[in-house]
Amino acid sequence: MRFDGDIAAIASRLLLHPEPMPDAHDLVPDFQLQELDGRPPVPAAVLIALVRRPMGYTVLYTERATGLRKHSGQVAFPGGRIDPEDHDASYAALREANEEIALDPQDAEVLGFMPYYYTGTNYFITPVVAVVEPSGPFIPNPGEVDAVFEVPVETLMAPKSYGHYRLHFQGQVRQSWQIDHGGHRIWGITANLTRRFRDHVLTGEAGHAP
């Protein structure tokens, strides 16, 4: 499946504004990994960056630093918590991308937002979709990121790119999508968000909302 570069069509499948957080009792996590003990969900934002390259569009990923306490070595989109001083989810996602990989916010045009994703670790994630025309290289912050890599959009659109990752946890089997590319394994939240991005935004096969 080829990507025709119709950015206007992609934007039309996105939300104009981030979804507000529902009452915590109405949130259903992707799968439960820990007891939340009544703690309020943590607002967070990730950047799904469509990077314009001479050979076509790619999607940007990071490999988290192995020295991090949580999710070390895993593949993730740039992003993190929404701080109180952040204007909105897009500001937070671009701020985090700048801190993690030196992505200049001026190089990004935010197209819109995907519906929220609530994780079993109590994060309320707003995916921010943007077109990025990099004015310089992406440089990993060694304290947060070990590597930056990009996956061609055509690869993410191809159904054959998706397998299943199975995790045994507390006697149960948890499952997510899995994408292998260039020696990197994308699984868990990032793979699930990638699949939603494919189905609902890139191809529009599944409508406008998950």
Side-chain angles (χ1 to χ4, degrees):
M1 182 180 291
R2 294 286 298 173
F3 177 58
D4 61 8
D6 191 346
I7 297 301
I10 282 180
S12 73
R13 301 178 188 127
L14 295 168
L15 303 173
L16 295 178
H17 305 284
E19 287 187 320
M21 187 184 296
D23 186 278
H25 296 292
D26 297 327
L27 289 169
V28 179
D30 51 359
F31 51 82
Q32 198 77 33
L33 287 180
Q34 62 189 48
E35 292 297 327
L36 303 180
D37 301 323
R39 288 174 290 140
V42 179
V46 298
L47 181 66
I48 302 181
L50 283 163
V51 184
R52 186 176 282 129
R53 297 295 188 186
M55 298 301 293
Y57 285 93
T58 64
V59 173
L60 181 69
Y61 294 88
T62 68
E63 186 177 294
R64 289 169 58 83
T66 52
L68 292 175
R69 186 168 59 89
K70 294 183 178 180
H71 308 294
S72 62
Q74 293 182 13
V75 172
F77 290 114
R81 293 182 182 223
I82 300 177
D83 292 338
E85 60 270 24
D86 291 329
H87 305 310
D88 58 15
S90 60
Y91 184 95
L94 292 173
R95 173 185 56 76
E96 287 281 351
N98 178 256
E99 294 173 2
E100 292 176 358
I101 58 171
L103 186 155
D104 188 340
Q106 298 299 317
D107 294 343
E109 177 189 358
V110 174
L111 301 177
F113 307 88
M114 288 171 54
Y116 71 81
Y117 187 101
Y118 181 53
T119 76
T121 50
N122 205 32
Y123 282 86
F124 181 89
I125 298 174
T126 297
V128 181
V129 180
V131 170
V132 173
E133 295 195 48
S135 56
F138 300 127
I139 303 171
N141 176 343
E144 299 188 51
V145 174
D146 279 348
V148 183
F149 66 99
E150 298 171 36
V151 181
V153 167
E154 283 82 2
T155 299
L156 298 180
M157 292 177 71
K160 67 179 180 181
S161 297
Y162 295 83
H164 288 99
Y165 184 91
R166 290 175 175 84
L167 173 69
H168 294 268
F169 182 79
Q170 294 184 347
Q172 298 185 48
V173 178
R174 311 295 189 180
Q175 181 171 285
S176 77
W177 291 107
Q178 174 181 311
I179 308 146
D180 292 304
H181 180 79
H184 299 280
R185 173 158 293 175
I186 306 167
W187 63 280
I189 294 167
T190 306
N192 290 344
L193 281 174
T194 299
R195 182 68 186 213
R196 287 190 182 191
F197 180 60
R198 177 211 181 267
D199 293 346
H200 302 284
V201 181
L202 288 177
T203 68
E205 292 175 357
H208 292 211

